Amino acid sequence: MHWLHLQIGLREFSDVPVALGVTAIYLAHILAFGVLVRRFLAIRVTFWVDCSIHAAAGYAGFGFYIWLAGALSLLTPSFFAISAVAAFALTLALGFRVAHLQRALHCARQSAQSQPVLCIAIVLIIALAIISGLRGGAFDDDYRWQSATYWATAGRWVKVPFRLANGMAMSEMLHVPAALFGNLTAAHWASTGLWICAALNAVALGETIGLAAPVSWIAILSISSYTAMASILNSDVPALAFALAAIVLLLCQPSERITLRIATASGLFMAAVLSCKFIVLACLPAGIFICWSRSAPPVRRKVINTLYLMA
């Protein structure tokens, strides 16, 4: 029995080198699309808002890019490997420099100095979420991974025979690059990235009502039902991440007026939400309410932001 457990553990860690390579492909694309959207928005925001918009825009842009690749029958490992190199070169060309990483490290250092215990807890929870991606779970044979593998084998979008699979949902499309390399660990880590993205957006929203970042992180990560979904392939967390990104972009902008660029980027996030869960269409009235709340007095707007964070 002990030898069996050892074999299972070694098999899990044997996927790590390939998973790291596939994750690098994900990161290159997410970084590039995030930089593109941030340059398109051209607004000055706080560090946490910048991180949340960048991460959500990167995932949404990569998801739509995967859809386009499938429509052109380009779902191959070599295509995404070459595309990742081009995406990284584009990121450098657009002006992403070491200064951005230095800003992130400076902000992390400030948070660690002000709330060291909370920061240690946050790092441990996120580390455990990443490690949990190494282990197989009940959802590994779910239709989401089967659909991604089916499309990866076909090299394009085809009708899948699995029950509950009803087209190329964003939550399934984002796992296709991992399926192309046959690496389930990378798919789990992609889900963990979306889980972190959703938490980032909640932290950015908490900042609008004066909550310190470490406090917001702990408040979000302490929700057991949310933390339990850290590495599970699902559609709820991606929908939450993109919906929160749209809200953050509308509420955390520096100006009172909603510009065409902000409306366009918010529409991109809402399209990603609807691609994950079409039932979220019922939330569109909330978007209209958000736009109306931008003209409210500062005190009333802070109350509205608090209600959104609580929701």
Side-chain angles (χ1 to χ4, degrees), residues 110-124:
Q110 284 184 328
S111 298
Q113 291 174 349
S114 61
Q115 303 282 352
V117 177
L118 292 182
C119 289
I120 292 174
I122 293 166
V123 171
L124 287 176

Side-chain angles (χ1 to χ4, degrees), residues 125 128-130 132-133 135 137-139 188 191-192 195 220-234 236-237:
I125 292 172
L128 288 174
I130 295 173
S132 68
R135 301 191 59 83
F139 284 77
H188 282 304
S191 295
T192 303
W195 175 78
I220 296 300
L221 299 182
S222 62
I223 303 175
S224 58
S225 58
Y226 175 73
T227 304
M229 301 175 72
S231 62
I232 294 176
L233 279 59
N234 65 89
D236 298 315
V237 170

Side-chain angles (χ1 to χ4, degrees), residues 73-136:
S73 300
L74 293 174
L75 296 180
T76 62
S78 57
F79 172 77
F80 280 97
I82 296 172
S83 178
V85 176
F88 186 71
L90 177 63
T91 302
L92 296 179
L94 290 175
F96 188 85
R97 297 289 183 266
V98 178
H100 295 80
L101 297 178
Q102 291 176 341
R103 182 189 178 194
L105 291 174
H106 176 70
C107 184
R109 192 181 303 112
Q110 284 184 328
S111 298
Q113 291 174 349
S114 61
Q115 303 282 352
V117 177
L118 292 182
C119 289
I120 292 174
I122 293 166
V123 171
L124 287 176
I125 292 172
I126 294 177
L128 288 174
I130 295 173
I131 293 173
S132 68
L134 297 172
R135 301 191 59 83

Side-chain angles (χ1 to χ4, degrees), residues 8-280:
I8 294 175
L10 291 176
R11 192 184 308 122
E12 290 165 355
F13 282 97
S14 66
D15 291 338
V16 171
V18 177
L20 290 174
V22 177
T23 301
I25 292 176
Y26 274 89
L27 290 176
H29 287 95
I30 291 169
L31 196 60
F33 284 109
V35 170
L36 279 172
V37 174
R38 285 293 292 114
R39 285 180 68 90
F40 170 76
L41 287 171
I43 56 176
R44 297 182 66 87
V45 291
T46 63
F47 171 76
W48 289 109
V49 174
D50 192 18
C51 288
S52 66
I53 294 174
H54 194 127
Y59 264 106
F62 189 33
F64 290 122
Y65 180 74
I66 295 170
W67 171 83
L68 180 62
L72 298 175
S73 300
L74 293 174
L75 296 180
T76 62
S78 57
F79 172 77
F80 280 97
I82 296 172
S83 178
V85 176
F88 186 71
L90 177 63
T91 302
L92 296 179
L94 290 175
F96 188 85
R97 297 289 183 266
V98 178
H100 295 80
L101 297 178
Q102 291 176 341
R103 182 189 178 194
L105 291 174
H106 176 70
C107 184
R109 192 181 303 112
Q110 284 184 328
S111 298
Q113 291 174 349
S114 61
Q115 303 282 352
V117 177
L118 292 182
C119 289
I120 292 174
I122 293 166
V123 171
L124 287 176
I125 292 172
I126 294 177
L128 288 174
I130 295 173
I131 293 173
S132 68
L134 297 172
R135 301 191 59 83
F139 284 77
D140 289 356
D141 294 327
D142 188 67
Y143 67 91
R144 295 181 178 86
W145 177 246
Q146 292 178 357
S147 298
T149 304
Y150 197 86
W151 290 321
T153 303
R156 57 190 177 88
W157 305 126
V158 294
K159 184 178 180 179
V160 294
F162 309 114
R163 182 173 176 268
L164 300 178
N166 49 3
M168 298 83 68
M170 179 74 74
S171 49
E172 281 91 49
M173 287 193 297
L174 284 169
H175 296 129
V176 170
L180 286 170
F181 292 89
N183 195 280
L184 184 57
T185 298
H188 282 304
W189 285 351
S191 295
T192 303
L194 282 163
W195 175 78
I196 295 173
C197 177
L200 270 174
N201 284 292
V203 170
L205 192 57
E207 191 178 46
T208 65
I209 63 172
L211 287 180
V215 176
S216 297
W217 273 105
I218 287 297
I220 296 300
L221 299 182
S222 62
I223 303 175
S224 58
S225 58
Y226 175 73
T227 304
M229 301 175 72
S231 62
I232 294 176
L233 279 59
N234 65 89
S235 58
D236 298 315
V237 170
L240 175 65
F242 297 131
L244 284 177
I247 294 174
V248 166
L249 188 55
L250 290 172
L251 290 180
C252 300
Q253 57 173 316
S255 62
E256 298 296 326
R257 187 170 60 89
I258 296 177
T259 64
L260 178 61
R261 295 189 178 191
I262 289 176
T264 302
S266 298
L268 169 72
F269 292 140
M270 284 308 301
V273 172
L274 296 179
S275 179
C276 294
K277 273 189 168 305
F278 194 72
I279 194 174
V280 186

